[in-house]
Structures are given as structure tokens and as C-alpha cells.
Amino acid sequence: MAAESGKIDPMHQFEVTPLGGGFTLGGHDILFTNSALWMVVAAIALGLFMWGGMRRQLVPGRWQAAVEGFTGFISNMMMANIGTEGRKYTPYVFSLFMFILFCNLLGMLPLGVLGLHPFTVTSHIAITGVLALISFAIVLVVGFWRHGLHFFSLFVPHGTPLPMIPIIAPIEFVSFMVRPFSLGLRLFVAMTAGHVLLKVLSGFVINGFNAETLWLGSIVSVLSFTLMIGISALELLVAGIQAYVFALLTSLYINDAVNLH
Amino acid sequence: MPQIAQLTADNWYLASQLFWLLVVFAGIYLVIGRGMLPKIEATVDARDRKVADDLAAAKAAHAAADSLEESYRQQSEASRAAAQKAVAEAKDKAAKDAEKRLAKVDAELGAKLTAAEAEVAAAKSSAMAEIESVASEAASELVAKLSGANVSATDAKAAVKAVLRG
């Protein structure tokens, strides 16, 4: 952070820095970066969380009940949106939901106080885009596997009048092809915007106390800090909602592939 | 913007990002999604099944208790009705017996009474006859002593009868 120049760069937090451990794969250098570190941290935290729910007691304790709350939430969503066949896809959607949720929440941790630099993995379009593409690929594979070329009837909604088909079908096709982009972009934009906003406000807090007219700067700082508390709460909500939206839309898209409207 | 910058072809960290994302996400999918999630879901399913079974058993026990109570109630009602009927019959029979015995006793008493009445009447009439004969004898004797006239027994008798009954 370029604090010494009195200028705070809100984009610095998205910077990927190498932490070492490089090797070459297919002509590309693969380095262990801070992004990879936070993915691994999220995976380990998720693993510990799930492990605490593996006691398999008939009457669950608090931790087991929490884990079962998450698994039940996703299985019910799959059951409601897809039906009994949805159980097959629950492992994928659950992994997706929990990975995104943990990455979102870990990025919100106030570790900057300890001098660490938290990194929000899901604020990178490369990450969210790949996750969206995996979901989209599953939809395509399942759709063509189950329905063959009949899968293209997805672009003709049920009950469309015959003369409307040449107009409706291209619109449906475009909206179908836009899905992976909107899916990946939504999460990336929500995370990036929230973190930029928080960083800009924290810049106001710092610059306010460093201002020449201290009384005015202090007012700005205190107001900004109050706003930051509220926005942090909002961002925690957004972290959960965006993970939910990603999982929900994935389940809806898989439903299209499984049940064709 | 580092997020957009990495999408250019000569960026060094795009490959690292994708590699580690695929490794970590595949690990999560295999270990957590495929390994842990089904076990947790199985636990939840087993619990749901147990709860449903227990509820069904409780419901069945409740129904059995209800039917048992119903049959008990019916049984007690039937036995009460039978007891009431037996009591009524016994009462009826006792009343009839008493009536019969009473009628018999009544008849016997009536017969005794008529016999006694007949005896009394017979005694009375014989006594009357004796009185008449004694009176007529006495009357004829009296007449003979007083007037010296001899009164036939028949006349005396008729005169006495007229006085006695008249």
C-alpha cells in the first residue's frame, strides 16, 4: 500500500504475488501465489468445518447441526429445483457453494490488522469464470448426454407459436450462451465492488486523520469508519448471497439440462 | 485492474491461477463433495427415517390402545346390560311366584271360609229346628195346663213358627 505518498490504491488488494514453488507445465510457469494460498486456506477451513460434522450422532451437537444445516440447505435446493435426480449433482453444487462461501468470507477477515494481506479469491474473473464454465460444461454434457440433439428444443419454449420460432429461438440461444458470463461476472463484480468500496472508505479514514485541518479530517474519518462497519456487515451478507445465487443458478441450469423445461 | 490484466496472453499468473483453482476445487469436490457429503446426508437420512419410524410406531400404539379401550367399553356395556336383564328377570319371576302363592293361599282361605260359613249355617238351622220343637212342646204343654185344651203338635208348631219368625 502506497501510504507513504498519502495515496491509497484500492486495487492493490487484488494483486497476485508469487510466493515461490514454481514449476513448468505445458510451457507455462506455475507458481504458488497468494491466490493459491487463500484457495488452500479456504479448502482446509472447509475441510475442518465438514470434519466437525462427521460425528454421525443421532442427536446432533451444535457443530454437526451447523454442517447438516448447510448440506440440508443444498440438498433441499437440488430436490426442489431438479427433483430426485438432483441428488446426483448435489456433491458438485455443494462443493461449489461452500468453496465460494469460504473464499468470500475469508476475504472479509480483518487480517490486515495483523499485517497480513487477505486475498479474496472470488474477486478474480479468472476464478469465477472458470467455475461458471465448469457449471456450463456440466449443463452441456448432461443435456446432450440425456437428450441428444433434442436438447436444442431448450431454445423453443413450450407453447411457442410456429411463426414465432425463428425469432424466439435466437433470443433463447443468446440468453443461454450468456449464462456462463453472467454467472461468473456477477460474483466477480459483487466481490470486487465491495472490497474496493471498503478500501476506499478505509483510505478516507487514514487520510482524514492525516489531514492538515485535523478537526475536519476527523469528522470525515469517523463518518467513514461508521459507514465501513455497516458496509462490512452488508458485505458479509453479500458473501453468503452471492455464493447462494451461484449455486442456485447452477442448479437451475442443471435442471434445464436434466428436465428440458 | 489485476483481474482484467491477467486475461491478456502474456500474463504470468493466469496459468498459476487456473492450475491451483483446478487442483483445489478438484480436491474439494473429491474429498468433501464425494467423500464427506454422502456420509453426512446418510446420517441425516437415517435420522429422518428413524424419526418417521418412531412416529409411525407411536401412532400404531395409539391406535391399538384406542381399539383396546373401545372393545373394553363395549364389553363392559354388554356385561352391564346382561346383568340388568338378569336382575329384571329375577325380579319378574319373584313377583310372579309371590302372586301365585298369594292366589293359592287366597283360594284356600276362601274355601275354608265357605266351609265354615256352611257349618255355621247348618248349626244355626239345626239349632233353630230344635228351638222350634222345644218351644212348640212347651207351648202345647202350657196350653194344656192352662186351658186343658189339647193342641195338636202341628198347630203348636205352626203357632211357634209364626211367633219366632214373625
Side-chain angles (χ1 to χ4, degrees):
Chain A
M1 211 172 288
E4 58 275 5
S5 67
K7 193 162 176 282
I8 284 146
D9 177 15
M11 301 315 281
H12 177 76
Q13 58 177 326
F14 303 119
E15 218 63 75
V16 177
T17 49
L19 299 174
F23 59 95
T24 310
L25 186 82
H28 295 284
D29 285 333
I30 306 296
L31 295 173
F32 192 77
T33 61
N34 57 346
S35 163
L37 173 69
W38 284 96
M39 283 185 227
V40 172
V41 168
I44 291 172
L46 176 56
L48 286 176
F49 174 69
M50 294 295 286
W51 177 76
M54 294 283 288
R55 255 165 266 163
R56 318 196 67 173
Q57 285 165 339
L58 186 62
V59 179
R62 282 161 195 243
W63 197 329
Q64 193 185 342
V67 174
E68 281 171 5
F70 277 101
T71 62
F73 174 64
I74 296 295
S75 351
N76 287 343
M77 189 179 82
M78 299 302 281
M79 192 61 99
N81 289 336
I82 304 177
T84 43
E85 280 179 274
R87 284 190 87 98
K88 261 194 293 186
Y89 308 98
T90 307
Y92 170 68
V93 177
F94 183 75
S95 309
L96 195 63
F97 174 73
M98 294 307 271
F99 178 63
I100 293 172
L101 183 66
F102 271 68
C103 287
N104 289 354
L105 291 177
L106 285 174
M108 288 296 299
L109 286 181
L111 295 176
V113 177
L114 305 175
L116 298 171
H117 286 284
F119 180 89
T120 313
V121 179
T122 41
S123 66
H124 272 244
I125 181 76
I127 305 291
T128 61
V130 167
L131 292 176
L133 282 175
I134 294 173
S135 290
F136 191 65
I138 288 175
V139 168
L140 287 181
V141 168
V142 169
F144 282 113
W145 184 272
R146 289 177 63 96
H147 303 290
L149 293 179
H150 196 62
F151 183 56
F152 286 111
S153 70
L154 192 65
F155 303 130
V156 184
H158 195 66
T160 312
L162 200 62
M164 294 295 283
I165 288 179
I167 307 166
I168 296 284
I171 294 173
E172 288 284 325
F173 179 71
V174 168
S175 85
F176 181 76
M177 294 309 287
V178 159
R179 281 174 180 183
F181 299 101
S182 67
L183 197 58
L185 213 57
R186 185 181 295 112
L187 177 59
F188 151 66
V189 166
M191 286 300 118
T192 304
H195 283 269
V196 167
L197 184 57
L198 280 176
K199 207 60 82 179
V200 167
L201 285 172
S202 61
F204 286 171
V205 175
I206 294 166
N207 287 341
F209 283 128
N210 291 337
E212 284 172 32
T213 46
L214 191 59
W215 66 272
L216 188 63
S218 300
I219 292 172
V220 169
S221 294
V222 169
L223 285 179
S224 300
F225 190 71
T226 316
L227 193 57
M228 268 185 83
I229 295 172
I231 302 243
S232 295
L234 183 70
E235 281 303 307
L236 287 176
L237 187 70
V238 168
I241 287 176
Q242 287 300 327
Y244 170 60
V245 166
F246 203 108
L248 177 69
L249 287 175
T250 299
S251 79
L252 289 176
Y253 296 160
I254 292 175
N255 176 47
D256 276 352
V258 172
N259 295 324
L260 277 187
H261 288 301
Chain B
M1 205 173 187
Q3 294 102 310
I4 304 297
Q6 73 184 302
L7 300 182
T8 53
D10 56 345
N11 187 279
W12 65 268
Y13 55 76
L14 178 64
S16 312
Q17 290 261 64
L18 299 186
F19 173 79
W20 285 109
L21 171 65
L22 292 179
V23 167
V24 170
F25 191 68
I28 287 177
Y29 177 71
L30 291 176
V31 174
I32 289 165
R34 287 261 165 214
M36 290 170 147
L37 179 70
K39 283 182 190 146
I40 292 171
E41 278 190 322
T43 311
V44 174
D45 286 349
R47 179 183 313 125
D48 287 352
R49 207 165 31 241
K50 177 127 178 56
V51 168
D53 285 356
D54 286 359
L55 277 180
K59 216 177 212 173
H62 194 77
D66 272 359
S67 74
L68 205 67
E69 196 195 331
E70 177 66 22
S71 78
Y72 166 76
R73 206 170 55 77
Q74 275 174 357
Q75 229 164 34
S76 86
E77 246 167 39
S79 56
R80 189 182 302 136
Q84 267 170 355
K85 201 177 153 200
V87 167
E89 267 173 10
K91 242 187 219 168
D92 210 31
K93 201 176 160 221
K96 263 184 197 154
D97 274 3
E99 211 171 90
K100 222 189 265 170
R101 242 193 330 243
L102 210 62
K104 201 176 153 198
V105 170
D106 209 28
E108 271 170 19
L109 285 177
K112 260 188 200 164
L113 195 66
T114 25
E117 269 172 2
E119 255 170 51
V120 168
K124 196 177 167 187
S125 66
S126 78
M128 217 53 164
E130 235 160 273
I131 284 173
E132 259 172 40
S133 69
V134 171
S136 63
E137 265 171 38
S140 61
E141 267 172 38
L142 274 176
V143 169
K145 268 187 189 160
L146 285 175
S147 63
N150 226 351
V151 182
S152 70
T154 337
D155 285 345
K157 218 175 206 174
V160 169
K161 218 175 219 174
V163 173
L164 277 177
R165 304 213 173 150

